[in-house]
Amino acid sequence: MKTRNFLTLIVLLLFVSIASAQIKIPETNVSFDFPDGGWKFLQTNKLSNNSVVYLYSYSADYVVDNSGDTIIPFMRIYVRKNYDGTVYDLAYSRFMVQPFQSLDEKLHQNGILEYLGAYTNEDDGKDYEFRMLYVKDKNNLLEIRLETSVDTFEDFEQQFNGIINSITTVK
């Protein structure tokens, strides 16, 4: 009986350590963690030899907005390899592809550019809000975007900030 309880404890500790483990973004020196274990990896999309996107979604619970629609909060990591420009150059070029309203912008001491932004999706007519970072890692630039609907943003803001605060770059 004691052996079974001991094994159960070890398995539980293993799951807890996996849930809070640092996730390394492939081919970069950047990592992060999910403070809440409710996130899961969805897919990798290779856009070109120099651009790749990693998608994660929140799946611990159903998220419903004020209209009663199910919302899927997500994290998108866009990695641009062999990029010679600055964080501002990439932010501007990405803005031209996906315009948004900037609600706040700040440049952190470590050179990370952060936005709080919002936009209206033309397909579903809903308003969305997000936190987005631009991180330089040697000759790579990363856009890390954490997004959900405006109605549910307040519920996820603490999680988004926890993920943002966990981002590290090993030099």
Side-chain angles (χ1 to χ4, degrees):
M1 188 66 146
K2 286 185 180 186
T3 304
R4 192 167 82 186
N5 288 342
F6 181 70
L7 288 175
T8 303
L9 179 62
I10 288 176
V11 169
L12 180 63
L13 289 174
L14 179 63
F15 281 121
V16 168
S17 68
I18 289 171
S20 64
Q22 285 276 306
I23 299 167
K24 185 177 181 313
I25 301 170
E27 300 183 41
T28 73
N29 296 310
V30 180
S31 61
F32 66 94
D33 63 37
F34 291 118
D36 176 348
W39 292 83
K40 72 175 185 176
F41 174 75
L42 285 179
Q43 66 186 30
T44 300
N45 295 325
K46 185 174 180 180
L47 305 177
S48 71
N49 287 337
N50 287 321
S51 300
V52 65
V53 173
Y54 303 99
L55 295 173
Y56 296 83
S57 70
Y58 182 78
S59 61
D61 199 3
Y62 287 105
V63 179
V64 179
D65 69 6
N66 292 345
S67 304
D69 293 333
T70 301
I71 302 296
I72 302 173
F74 71 90
M75 178 179 188
R76 180 183 71 202
I77 303 169
Y78 171 83
V79 179
R80 179 66 196 261
K81 302 173 194 171
N82 303 315
Y83 192 79
D84 293 332
T86 67
V87 292
Y88 287 107
D89 295 332
L90 183 64
Y92 181 74
S93 69
R94 297 287 293 157
F95 174 81
M96 296 306 291
V97 173
Q98 293 182 324
F100 62 90
Q101 179 183 3
S102 178
L103 304 175
D104 191 21
E105 174 187 336
K106 58 184 163 185
L107 182 64
H108 296 263
Q109 287 182 334
N110 54 5
I112 293 176
L113 177 61
E114 180 179 356
Y115 286 99
L116 173 63
Y119 70 98
T120 300
N121 184 314
E122 292 179 12
D123 294 331
D124 65 12
K126 289 193 177 293
D127 296 326
Y128 292 87
E129 195 167 346
F130 59 86
R131 289 225 173 262
M132 185 163 53
L133 302 175
Y134 288 93
V135 179
K136 183 134 177 95
D137 169 45
K138 296 185 181 179
N139 66 340
N140 298 318
L141 256 167
L142 292 80
E143 175 190 82
I144 301 170
R145 183 171 174 143
L146 296 144
E147 180 175 317
T148 190
S149 69
V150 168
D151 292 346
T152 61
F153 187 82
E154 189 175 303
D155 298 334
F156 283 87
E157 191 166 19
Q158 185 175 354
Q159 283 191 49
F160 289 174
N161 289 334
I163 294 166
I164 288 169
N165 291 332
S166 75
I167 294 172
T168 58
T169 303
V170 178
K171 305 243 177 189

